[in-house]
Amino acid sequence: MYTEPTTFSAEEYFATQPPPPTLDHDIEKVREFIQRQNKEGRSVVLVTSGGTTVPLELNVVRFLDNFSAGTRGATSAEYFLKAGYAVIFMHRQFSLQLFSRHYSHSTNPFLDFLEIDGPLSDANNSNDPDAAPIISVTPEKRADLLEVLSMYKDVHKAGTLHTLTFVTVNDYLWLLRAVSQEMALLGRKSLFYLAAAVSDFFLPRQKMSIHKIQSGKGSLHIEMDQVPKILKPMVDEWTKEGFIVSFKLETDDNLLLPKARQALERYGHQVVIGNDLHRRKFEVVFVSRKESEFDEYWLRIDLGEHHGPAHHAKEIEEDIVAELVKRHNAWIEKGKL
């Protein structure tokens, strides 16, 4: 049965689509985190990371997904922590995590860092706990692991990292609005780094099948609605003084800059970071407004710098974050005038 697509404003979306069941609990924890960071005088960045799913049934069996492992978000969050920011890391469940990302790939598996000292056969045939084999770190890997583990422990000791998870685009939108509203407390010391790959289309709850869509009926036709544009209410309502950075990914070079400029014109936020799908790991462009004109700043890294241990290889996110920290500091200072 065909139904006409609906155009949702952000206001209409939140009035008709239900919040995730854990929203109140999640935001209470976010509020406590933000209040603590504000008291300690830190700037706070919200980093969104990973892709979103679009369920096709209320009792979800089938869903649509989009491409994103969360690499840029997890990598950037680490560099923001190194720069002295407190980080709210809002990521897709099971996407790449900070710190453990260094050992998440098949090229650098964590278990390869470990050794077993003592024969397993002794442990299996003895009730003596002293005879049990000991797990140790491979000597040549100890320095690398110690560096990452030290960063992890320091961040947790300082209490500067808070994590949130989402799965569906609905989870993401509700969390983004609620976190943005809480971060308004920080004024210009709030930064938004919206690196998540958010679905452009969704199926409203009112149009979903209750049970699994049956395959015996032949071809499947679904009319989806467009996800509301939430950058405009972020700028105008939710976090009026926040420094907001969005991303634009394209596969056509000819569209990258026009689309980035169009986004700035439409939503009025501070920066769009444009990246081509095939060059995003070593080249991006910052597009911003400079009075009545657009300013474009290209950032590139040398692929020849990608050598050595995984977490010593040059990552473009290091330079992206450094540039944004500089711009955010200028934004903060401008607010003092």
Side-chain angles (χ1 to χ4, degrees):
M1 179 178 177
Y2 175 81
T3 56
E4 287 293 331
T6 305
T7 301
F8 285 85
S9 66
E11 184 178 356
E12 290 167 335
Y13 180 92
F14 292 113
T16 58
Q17 306 306 306
T22 61
L23 182 67
D24 289 343
H25 176 266
D26 289 341
I27 297 308
E28 181 181 349
K29 298 300 182 185
V30 167
R31 185 179 301 123
E32 293 171 0
F33 180 80
I34 290 172
Q35 289 174 347
R36 186 169 67 252
Q37 305 308 326
N38 187 49
K39 185 177 179 180
E40 296 176 1
R42 290 191 186 91
S43 294
V44 179
V45 57
L46 170 66
V47 176
T48 68
S49 182
T52 59
T53 69
V54 178
L56 302 183
E57 305 122 340
L58 291 176
N59 292 295
V60 184
V61 175
R62 295 184 173 91
F63 58 87
L64 300 180
D65 207 347
N66 58 349
F67 158 75
S68 177
T71 304
R72 175 143 292 164
T75 306
S76 300
E78 279 192 31
Y79 286 113
F80 275 118
L81 287 166
K82 287 182 180 179
Y85 279 70
V87 173
I88 299 174
F89 184 58
M90 191 173 116
H91 64 97
R92 164 74 176 273
Q93 188 179 37
F94 308 127
S95 63
L96 279 181
Q97 302 292 297
L98 288 75
F99 309 112
S100 61
R101 71 183 178 88
H102 300 286
Y103 311 107
S104 297
H105 298 293
S106 59
T107 54
N108 200 39
F110 178 75
L111 292 179
D112 284 352
F113 280 57
L114 304 178
E115 289 185 344
I116 299 172
D117 298 327
L120 283 173
S121 57
D122 289 352
N124 294 333
N125 298 323
S126 173
N127 293 322
D128 182 2
D130 293 334
I134 297 172
I135 298 174
S136 63
V137 178
T138 303
E140 60 268 24
K141 301 288 189 179
R142 287 174 186 169
D144 297 335
L145 185 57
L146 179 62
E147 183 179 341
V148 176
L149 182 60
S150 297
M151 287 190 295
Y152 173 83
K153 294 292 187 181
D154 288 345
V155 164
H156 280 267
K157 184 178 180 181
T160 52
L161 175 64
H162 183 77
T163 60
L164 291 168
T165 61
F166 60 84
V167 176
T168 70
V169 66
N170 188 61
D171 297 340
Y172 176 89
L173 293 175
W174 276 97
L175 279 170
L176 181 62
R177 184 178 74 158
V179 174
S180 300
Q181 290 169 337
E182 295 298 330
M183 287 181 65
L185 171 71
L186 300 161
R188 290 196 169 219
K189 297 191 82 171
S190 60
L191 193 157
F192 297 82
Y193 187 85
L194 306 179
V198 183
S199 305
D200 291 318
F201 301 95
F202 80 110
L203 194 61
R205 186 177 181 86
Q206 298 88 331
K207 295 183 181 180
M208 285 188 197
S209 168
I210 296 175
H211 299 293
K212 176 187 173 184
I213 299 170
Q214 296 301 308
S215 59
K217 295 182 179 180
S219 59
L220 176 64
H221 298 276
I222 298 175
E223 187 74 29
M224 306 187 82
D225 296 326
Q226 192 168 36
V227 170
K229 303 300 182 184
I230 46 79
L231 276 174
K232 191 62 176 172
M234 277 190 74
V235 172
D236 294 344
E237 302 169 31
W238 305 345
T239 179
K240 294 181 180 180
E241 293 186 294
F243 190 91
I244 300 172
V245 181
S246 69
F247 285 78
K248 181 64 66 176
L249 176 71
E250 295 292 343
T251 57
D252 183 347
D253 286 347
N254 296 320
L255 293 178
L256 189 59
L257 289 174
K259 288 275 193 176
R261 296 181 194 125
Q262 185 182 64
L264 286 176
E265 287 277 18
R266 181 177 296 171
Y267 307 122
H269 57 303
Q270 284 68 45
V271 179
V272 175
I273 297 181
N275 44 166
D276 175 88
L277 176 64
H278 303 294
R279 299 198 302 275
R280 67 191 186 282
K281 293 185 178 181
F282 59 89
E283 178 185 272
V284 299
V285 58
F286 289 65
V287 183
S288 57
R289 294 298 298 263
K290 195 171 184 179
E291 298 178 353
S292 60
E293 298 180 347
F294 291 103
D295 181 68
E296 295 157 12
Y297 170 73
W298 287 91
L299 195 158
R300 299 177 177 90
I301 63 170
D302 184 357
L303 284 178
E305 296 180 62
H306 286 256
H307 296 295
H311 64 280
H312 287 163
K314 179 66 176 178
E315 296 171 310
I316 195 169
E317 289 80 11
E318 180 179 9
D319 293 347
I320 290 173
V321 168
E323 178 66 22
L324 288 178
V325 168
K326 182 174 67 175
R327 294 184 183 215
H328 187 215
N329 286 335
W331 171 258
I332 294 170
E333 292 302 315
K334 185 178 178 181
K336 297 177 181 178
L337 299 178

